[in-house]
Amino acid sequence: MYIEQVDLDFVQLPLKAPFQTSFGIEEVKRAWIVTVMSEGILGYAESVAELAPLYSEETHASVFYAIKDHLLPRLAAIDIVRPEAVEELFTEVRGNRMAKAALEMAIWDWFAKSRELPLFAVLGGEESRQTIPVGVSVGIQASPTELVECCQGYLSQGYRRLKVKIKPGADLEPLTALRGAVGPQVKIMADANSAYRLADREHLQAFEPLDLMMLEQPLAYDDIIDHAQLAHAMKTPICLDEAIRSDEDAKKALEIGACQIINIKVGRVGGYAVARRVHDVAEAYGAPVWCGGMLETGIGRAHNLHLSTLKNFRLPGDTSASDRYFYEDIVDPPFTLSPDGTLNVPNGPGIGVKPDSQRLSKMRVHHETWQVRQQFKGGGIPYGAPTNF
Ligand code: OSB
Ligand code: MG
């Protein structure tokens, strides 16, 4: 199959509430929605890059140029027989994992649809796991009282676990208030997004009595050595997010004991082919994984649910219902939480959802389209000479 056409739609969805992490505040969800077309079948995905290079070095702008100048010319050249081949096609382009993943994931959706199969079936997920237990990721709040109120609301809706964003100065106090208010049974974890250093070890050890399920990415975004030291000095399990960008990273981190759990985001690792290998490496080490999130629209959310059917996704992930983020999702119907704290994997071919055309036209602020085979014939632009620079 040759990809004939690729469309990028830049969409903006107001968030119901600002989402604050240790690295910044997001008030509007922005994303590139990628559509690939071939043989009359459409495949969809979204890029999880953000406006500023704070969580990752990738941005909406870098994703756009990586796709246009470096990935589409490569895509034009090959007849894709299996979606696994996309990873190899893109390997000589270093980094740019979110850009690669956005295209690769859309091709997986296309492939599953062309076989009239749900995506989870071609990914190797389990037929028996069509309801996915989920938690909610709660941003830094103005006060411990507000955190408690907000979390109690989510618990009453049925969410299975609470993930609280923390940073120095907004950590022990809100977490202690939360544990006190919800009692010992509720699963609570914290995500620091790299806000601490190994020198903060004693401060982090003071979290132990809170009985957190895990502490996510406490130290530097690209570190495993200090995380290993911290993990060995703490009872609370360490989970890595930012620091795991490949199955090689996962193997090294697990080998030296830098983490006991891995958060998998397909965008962060560069696509499903890599994400599945991270999943398999973790399983071989006996380490559970869970599906992370990047406040995705319904398109990325559907992908996350399909991924979560793989058998080592043993802990509730961050794939919350649409109404936790948006007044209106880009897909219709939106994702809703069942009272037992699960989301259903959408059925039907591929990811099982598509952008609602009216909502897309309302949320879209930019649109690009390429006839891939014609415009990038012969590999497109010469290597090292992007068109606009
Ligand atoms: O660290 O997991 C993270 C959102 C943006 C950037 C980084 C992270 C997050 C989340 C949100 O925690 C999870 C969600 O999609 O609800
Ligand atoms: Mg995280």
Side-chain angles (χ1 to χ4, degrees):
M1 167 277 286
Y2 286 93
I3 298 290
E4 294 158 17
Q5 183 177 320
V6 171
D7 288 74
L8 288 186
D9 289 290
F10 193 70
V11 296
Q12 294 191 170
L13 289 73
L15 289 171
K16 279 184 164 177
F19 186 74
Q20 184 176 356
T21 63
S22 61
F23 57 76
I25 304 183
E26 265 184 273
E27 291 181 353
V28 178
K29 171 64 192 177
R30 299 180 176 89
W32 289 109
I33 303 292
V34 179
T35 309
V36 300
M37 200 269 283
S38 182
E39 298 162 11
I41 299 172
L42 301 173
Y44 299 102
E46 77 181 79
S47 151
V48 297
E50 299 181 310
L51 202 54
L54 302 177
Y55 167 82
S56 144
E57 63 272 43
E58 291 186 78
T59 63
H60 301 309
S62 78
V63 164
F64 176 81
Y65 285 107
I67 289 179
K68 176 174 89 69
D69 291 341
H70 304 291
L71 303 181
L72 292 186
R74 286 173 169 81
L75 205 56
I78 70 149
D79 179 5
I80 299 167
V81 181
R82 303 168 310 122
E84 284 89 347
V86 179
E87 184 203 5
E88 201 182 327
L89 179 70
F90 292 163
T91 42
E92 63 182 3
V93 174
R94 292 195 181 163
N96 293 284
R97 292 177 176 83
M98 292 175 177
K100 291 176 178 177
L103 265 179
E104 193 242 27
M105 293 166 84
I107 291 169
W108 277 90
D109 179 34
W110 183 95
F111 181 81
K113 284 173 177 157
S114 74
R115 299 294 182 277
E116 292 177 10
L117 289 168
L119 178 60
F120 80 83
V122 295
L123 285 174
E126 319 238 298
E127 182 82 56
S128 59
R129 302 182 42 160
Q130 299 303 304
T131 55
I132 307 297
V134 296
V136 59
S137 172
V138 184
I140 295 168
Q141 304 294 310
S143 67
T145 317
E146 278 166 73
L147 176 71
V148 169
E149 273 172 21
C150 175
C151 288
Q152 278 170 332
Y154 290 130
L155 289 177
S156 68
Q157 292 173 39
Y159 284 107
R160 296 271 189 112
R161 69 98 169 98
L162 302 167
K163 163 168 140 181
V164 178
K165 293 287 187 178
I166 55 168
K167 65 174 184 181
D171 48 17
L172 259 182
E173 205 195 333
L175 284 171
T176 305
L178 181 62
R179 177 56 85 203
V182 301
Q185 300 305 324
V186 173
K187 289 176 178 158
I188 303 176
M189 59 174 289
D191 185 0
N193 287 112
S194 302
Y196 301 89
R197 292 298 168 261
L198 191 57
D200 299 315
R201 180 198 320 227
E202 280 176 24
H203 177 66
L204 295 173
Q205 283 170 334
F207 292 21
E208 303 269 36
L210 293 164
D211 193 26
L212 301 180
M213 276 180 93
M214 69 192 88
L215 179 58
E216 183 176 345
Q217 195 72 40
L219 309 181
Y221 76 95
D222 56 354
D223 165 77
I224 56 171
I225 302 292
D226 287 358
H227 276 105
Q229 285 214 35
L230 181 67
H232 288 117
M234 287 191 66
K235 279 215 307 286
T236 305
I238 301 296
C239 169
L240 290 177
D241 173 354
E242 285 90 326
I244 306 296
R245 294 168 168 228
S246 65
D247 45 309
E248 282 296 309
D249 286 350
K251 182 168 167 288
K252 290 171 190 165
L254 291 163
E255 189 62 40
I256 67 169
C259 65
Q260 293 93 334
I261 300 168
I262 293 175
N263 160 337
I264 297 186
K265 296 176 182 169
V266 186
R268 192 190 70 229
V269 302
Y272 278 123
V274 188
R276 289 195 307 190
R277 293 201 302 271
V278 173
H279 166 276
D280 294 351
V281 165
E283 188 176 26
Y285 276 88
V289 301
W290 53 274
C291 187
M294 297 287 288
L295 316 175
E296 289 92 339
T297 77
I299 297 296
R301 204 157 295 285
H303 276 282
N304 288 342
L305 291 170
H306 283 275
L307 179 69
S308 302
T309 64
L310 270 64
K311 71 173 191 297
N312 196 34
F313 281 83
R314 288 188 273 145
L315 298 168
D318 277 350
T319 314
S320 314
S322 300
D323 72 356
R324 177 258 174 274
Y325 311 91
F326 313 116
Y327 297 103
E328 200 175 59
D329 202 338
I330 200 167
V331 300
D332 189 25
F335 288 93
T336 53
L337 187 74
S338 304
D340 66 347
T342 59
L343 252 58
N344 295 330
V345 180
N347 46 39
I351 58 172
V353 297
K354 59 179 173 44
D356 177 83
S357 55
Q358 279 186 358
R359 292 184 182 185
L360 182 63
S361 55
K362 202 165 70 182
M363 295 165 177
R364 167 169 54 204
V365 293
H366 189 81
H367 175 243
E368 296 270 345
T369 184
W370 293 279
Q371 300 303 312
V372 178
R373 299 221 68 209
Q374 290 151 31
Q375 286 176 259
F376 297 100
K377 218 182 208 149
I381 54 154
Y383 182 71
T387 43
N388 294 348
F389 296 96

